[in-house]
Amino acid sequence: MNRYERRPVAAGEAEVEYLDGEFRILRPGAFVRCAATGAAIRIEELRYWNVDLQEPYASPEAKLLRLKIAAKG
């Protein structure tokens, strides 16, 4: 999805496929949940994700937190 694409926004949680440098919306929604914190991330504000784990993150710090948790587990 590029920043100029406009789609009607559904109110619920979206299902997203995370790709290298972009993402594809599989089920429309207004947000996704951060894998580290559980915080809602508006689709328009989604900037951080892990392609291998297919997980979104609210911030760079959340991604580091998640990677530390995964390394311990």
Side-chain angles (χ1 to χ4, degrees), residues 29-44:
F31 66 93
V32 293
R33 293 257 174 225
C34 176
T37 65
I41 309 164
R42 291 176 27 147
I43 294 294
E44 299 83 19

Side-chain angles (χ1 to χ4, degrees), residues 14-59:
E15 183 179 342
V16 177
E17 178 183 12
Y18 303 99
L19 307 170
D20 289 325
E22 62 183 2
F23 55 87
R24 180 179 301 137
I25 297 177
L26 303 175
R27 186 180 68 227
F31 66 93
V32 293
R33 293 257 174 225
C34 176
T37 65
I41 309 164
R42 291 176 27 147
I43 294 294
E44 299 83 19
E45 297 172 358
L46 179 59
R47 303 284 182 269
Y48 309 101
W49 59 83
N50 185 311
V51 174
D52 296 328
L53 298 176
Q54 288 295 294
E55 296 179 335
Y57 306 106
S59 67

Side-chain angles (χ1 to χ4, degrees), residues 35-36 49-50 52-53 55 57 60-73:
W49 59 83
N50 185 311
D52 296 328
L53 298 176
E55 296 179 335
Y57 306 106
E61 294 80 14
K63 183 172 183 176
L64 290 174
L65 174 66
R66 177 71 170 130
L67 293 176
K68 288 178 188 176
I69 293 170
K72 289 180 185 178

